[in-house]
Amino acid sequence: MRKGLLYGIIVQMKRHFRIVVGAAVGLTLTPAPLPALSRGAQPLAAPLILAQAQLPEEEELLRRKKRKGAKRDEQRTPRAERPAQRERAERPAAREREAVKRRAAEPEPAITEERQKRRKDREAAMRRPENAARLFDSAKEKPVRRKPGGAGPDQPAARARAERLPESDAAAQARASTDPVQIGSVISEEGRRIERPRRERPEVPEGAELVREVNNRFIFRTNNTYFIERPREERFIIDAREVYYEELPRSRQREVVVRPDGTRIVTIRNRWGDVVRRVKILPDDREIVLVYVEDDYYDEVLEWRDPGLDLPPLDLDIPVRDYILDAEWVEDPEDYYTFLDQPPVEQVERTYSLDEVRRSARIRDKVRRIDLDIINFEFGSAQIPESEIGKLEGVAEAMQRLLKENPGETFLIEGHTDAVGAEVANLALSDQRAEAVATALTNVFDIAPENMETQGYGEQYLKVETQEPERENRRVAIRRITPLVAPVASSE
């Protein structure tokens, strides 16, 4: 009995001791079967025996050391380099690499292919086709008999290359403005008020022959070429508050157009109707010179004479794309402004009248041009379809920016046709189309009419040398002729 009681006490003591130790070291406790008792021993209660640890104590101590070591390594290892987190961090990069591989394997979108095609076509167009006409309009004209003293093919300076491209309008006019230009007020000279002059038929200057009249347009022949004239004040007097005319000394006339806001457009013409001065007078009486030519020069000339006959043929060493901007290949509208803002390609000997610029291809060749071959006219029509007017927006915005910087800018709008049809009919049609474009720029985009001059040239200056229908020949061109018709100091 005593032996059994003593055994039960020992078992209970061991049980309590192991529970305490096991809780301290974190061992797993499981119930264990009671040990076998002798037959004579009767315990007071069946005691619970602490199970042995699942791992030996040595292995448990080793496990604890490894656990502490791993924790120290984890604290030393950067967060992104931990195995699980490194895997998660690498997933976006892996997905991106996979996406790049998929995009590379997929075919390029159609828009990219279209841009590549347009770029190749543009580069091919810039190389100029074999049947492309000569670059400069003056080189396309029929040979004319030159006056004695003018530069001719047999003279040393016949093909003088431009020394260097002028860097500005002022640099281009450096030779013409050795002395400061003193421009008096356009209204300072007293005149006599007259009725509106009748221009049923213009006076034919010496050296010219009136060939035909078409829709209030008069076609002349001079220097083996046809030229078209018409009353040019019609665009100016639309919506005018008042229009009056005055007679000035030396057979000159002054036309004054008063706008609703008080702005006055004053134009002075010589006896032939050539514009020798044009000024915009703002409501505050500030004068902006648009055209200025020494009128004494016209008193000495009694015939239509091309001032370009005194100059050698133009020879430039510049890429075609730097001289002609094809609207068809313009991708950024900013290109219009950048191109129009460039100075002439050679020196300007003096300021010319609007009519000299309109009649002389050699003088016009001094400035660059934009070919608006994107405007599609109906066959034989000068009307611009409503769907085509939006194509003028890019060049119109460029003109607006230039006029904001210098209200004295002047642009020449040229009309051209292909060689299909009668030459005289094409001349009249091209003039009507140039007028239609100028009217659209005024009515839709608010470009003032006094800042534009128009002229049709028919089939005289083909872009592609062919007698067949050719879309590139049916075009409208725009040049900024300000440095040809006005002193730079007066427009700045």
Side-chain angles (χ1 to χ4, degrees):
M1 184 72 179
R2 289 181 181 177
K3 189 180 293 184
L5 180 61
L6 181 62
Y7 181 82
I9 293 172
I10 293 173
V11 169
Q12 292 293 338
M13 290 177 62
K14 287 183 177 180
R15 175 174 177 270
H16 287 293
F17 177 77
R18 290 192 178 187
I19 289 175
V20 173
V21 174
V25 300
L27 297 178
T28 303
L29 300 179
T30 56
L34 291 176
L37 298 179
S38 62
R39 293 181 179 179
Q42 299 293 330
L44 297 176
L48 295 177
I49 304 301
L50 178 66
Q52 298 292 331
Q54 292 181 348
L55 295 176
E57 294 184 1
E58 295 80 2
E59 293 183 4
E60 177 62 21
L61 292 175
L62 181 61
R63 181 178 177 182
R64 290 175 59 190
K65 290 182 180 180
K66 289 183 178 180
R67 186 181 303 166
K68 291 182 180 180
K71 188 173 183 180
R72 287 195 300 270
D73 294 341
E74 183 178 356
Q75 292 174 350
R76 296 172 183 175
T77 306
R79 189 175 186 85
E81 294 183 3
R82 299 173 192 175
Q85 295 178 353
R86 181 165 57 245
E87 182 181 356
R88 289 194 297 268
E90 290 178 352
R91 287 175 187 172
R95 286 196 297 267
E96 181 63 24
R97 287 193 295 270
E98 291 297 328
V100 171
K101 292 180 180 179
R102 286 196 302 270
R103 288 195 296 268
E106 294 175 356
E108 295 184 355
I111 186 172
T112 303
E113 296 177 357
E114 179 65 21
R115 287 178 179 174
Q116 291 179 349
K117 181 178 182 300
R118 284 175 58 84
R119 188 178 296 111
K120 292 179 180 180
D121 292 343
R122 182 178 183 179
E123 293 174 354
M126 289 180 179
R127 289 194 291 269
R128 294 174 62 80
E130 296 180 358
N131 63 337
R134 296 183 179 183
L135 179 61
F136 302 109
D137 285 350
S138 55
K140 304 172 187 177
E141 294 183 326
K142 302 174 183 178
V144 298
R145 181 174 56 85
R146 297 179 180 269
K147 291 284 184 180
D154 56 343
Q155 296 184 0
R159 295 200 64 83
R161 183 181 295 273
E163 301 172 359
R164 188 171 62 178
L165 294 180
E167 297 180 356
S168 64
D169 290 355
Q173 290 187 357
R175 295 178 183 175
S177 58
T178 53
D179 298 326
V181 179
Q182 301 295 333
I183 301 178
S185 175
V186 73
I187 58 176
S188 61
E189 193 172 12
E190 190 173 341
R192 181 177 64 87
R193 184 75 68 96
I194 61 175
E195 296 294 331
R196 180 178 180 178
R198 293 184 178 181
R199 299 187 181 181
E200 297 177 356
R201 178 172 175 173
E203 186 177 359
V204 181
E206 295 181 14
E209 173 190 0
L210 180 60
V211 176
R212 185 178 173 184
E213 178 183 354
V214 180
N215 297 330
N216 200 29
R217 286 171 165 78
F218 303 91
I219 298 177
F220 297 89
R221 181 165 51 219
T222 178
N223 292 334
N224 298 326
T225 60
Y226 290 101
F227 193 78
I228 191 167
E229 281 284 359
R230 71 183 183 285
R232 299 184 178 276
E233 65 272 14
E234 299 299 330
R235 287 189 300 111
F236 293 75
I237 64 178
I238 297 177
D239 298 330
R241 189 175 72 191
E242 182 184 6
V243 180
Y244 61 90
Y245 303 86
E246 295 175 330
E247 189 177 68
L248 301 177
R250 293 177 293 177
S251 302
R252 293 172 300 151
Q253 291 181 354
R254 181 165 57 203
E255 172 192 87
V256 181
V257 179
V258 184
R259 297 275 168 75
D261 63 350
T263 300
R264 289 170 288 174
I265 310 301
V266 182
T267 302
I268 297 179
R269 293 182 171 86
N270 68 355
R271 60 178 297 188
W272 305 120
D274 295 349
V275 176
V276 295
R277 291 194 68 179
R278 176 170 288 156
V279 174
K280 177 188 292 187
I281 305 178
L282 302 179
D284 61 0
D285 291 333
R286 183 164 59 96
E287 297 189 7
I288 299 174
V289 178
L290 301 172
V291 178
Y292 178 82
V293 181
E294 292 289 346
D295 52 7
D296 291 339
Y297 171 77
Y298 289 92
D299 292 339
E300 301 173 0
V301 179
L302 299 178
E303 62 177 348
W304 282 1
R305 184 174 183 274
D306 183 356
L309 297 177
D310 298 330
L311 302 176
L314 185 59
D315 188 9
L316 290 179
D317 188 17
I318 62 174
V320 174
R321 63 178 177 272
D322 292 341
Y323 183 75
I324 300 175
L325 178 64
D326 281 304
E328 182 180 3
W329 306 113
V330 173
E331 296 182 354
D332 185 358
E334 183 73 15
D335 294 344
Y336 288 116
Y337 171 81
T338 303
F339 193 84
L340 284 174
D341 193 41
Q342 295 183 81
V345 297
E346 69 169 353
Q347 293 292 321
V348 178
E349 294 71 25
R350 62 175 176 86
T351 54
Y352 299 91
S353 73
L354 284 176
D355 300 271
E356 284 181 308
V357 175
R358 290 190 299 109
R359 296 176 191 141
S360 176
R362 178 63 181 85
I363 300 302
R364 294 193 304 276
D365 282 344
K366 290 177 176 288
V367 292
R368 310 163 205 253
R369 79 170 192 255
I370 296 176
D371 282 345
L372 290 175
D373 46 10
I374 56 177
I375 305 298
N376 297 314
F377 292 92
E378 297 292 338
F379 179 77
S381 173
Q383 298 295 324
I384 304 179
E386 186 175 350
S387 59
E388 300 293 304
I389 292 180
K391 297 178 180 179
L392 295 172
E393 183 176 3
V395 70
E397 290 179 352
M399 295 169 69
Q400 289 171 344
R401 287 180 59 184
L402 290 167
L403 287 170
K404 186 176 181 180
E405 298 170 2
N406 173 25
E409 296 282 9
T410 300
F411 303 93
L412 177 63
I413 315 296
E414 304 175 5
H416 300 270
T417 67
D418 57 23
V420 178
E423 183 175 2
V424 172
N426 284 337
L427 188 62
L429 179 61
S430 65
D431 195 64
Q432 293 170 350
R433 287 176 173 175
E435 187 78 6
V437 171
T439 301
L441 289 171
T442 298
N443 295 342
V444 180
F445 301 101
D446 295 326
I447 306 298
E450 63 269 14
N451 293 106
M452 294 181 289
E453 186 69 13
T454 63
Q455 185 63 46
Y457 296 103
E459 60 188 72
Q460 297 180 56
Y461 306 110
L462 299 177
K463 191 173 181 178
V464 178
E465 197 66 48
T466 178
Q467 298 299 309
E468 301 299 325
E470 175 57 51
R471 185 182 62 83
E472 289 193 36
N473 288 331
R474 299 189 297 270
R475 69 194 189 281
V476 172
I478 298 180
R479 303 179 194 255
R480 187 180 69 89
I481 62 173
T482 310
L484 303 180
V485 298
V488 174
S490 66
S491 60
E492 292 181 345

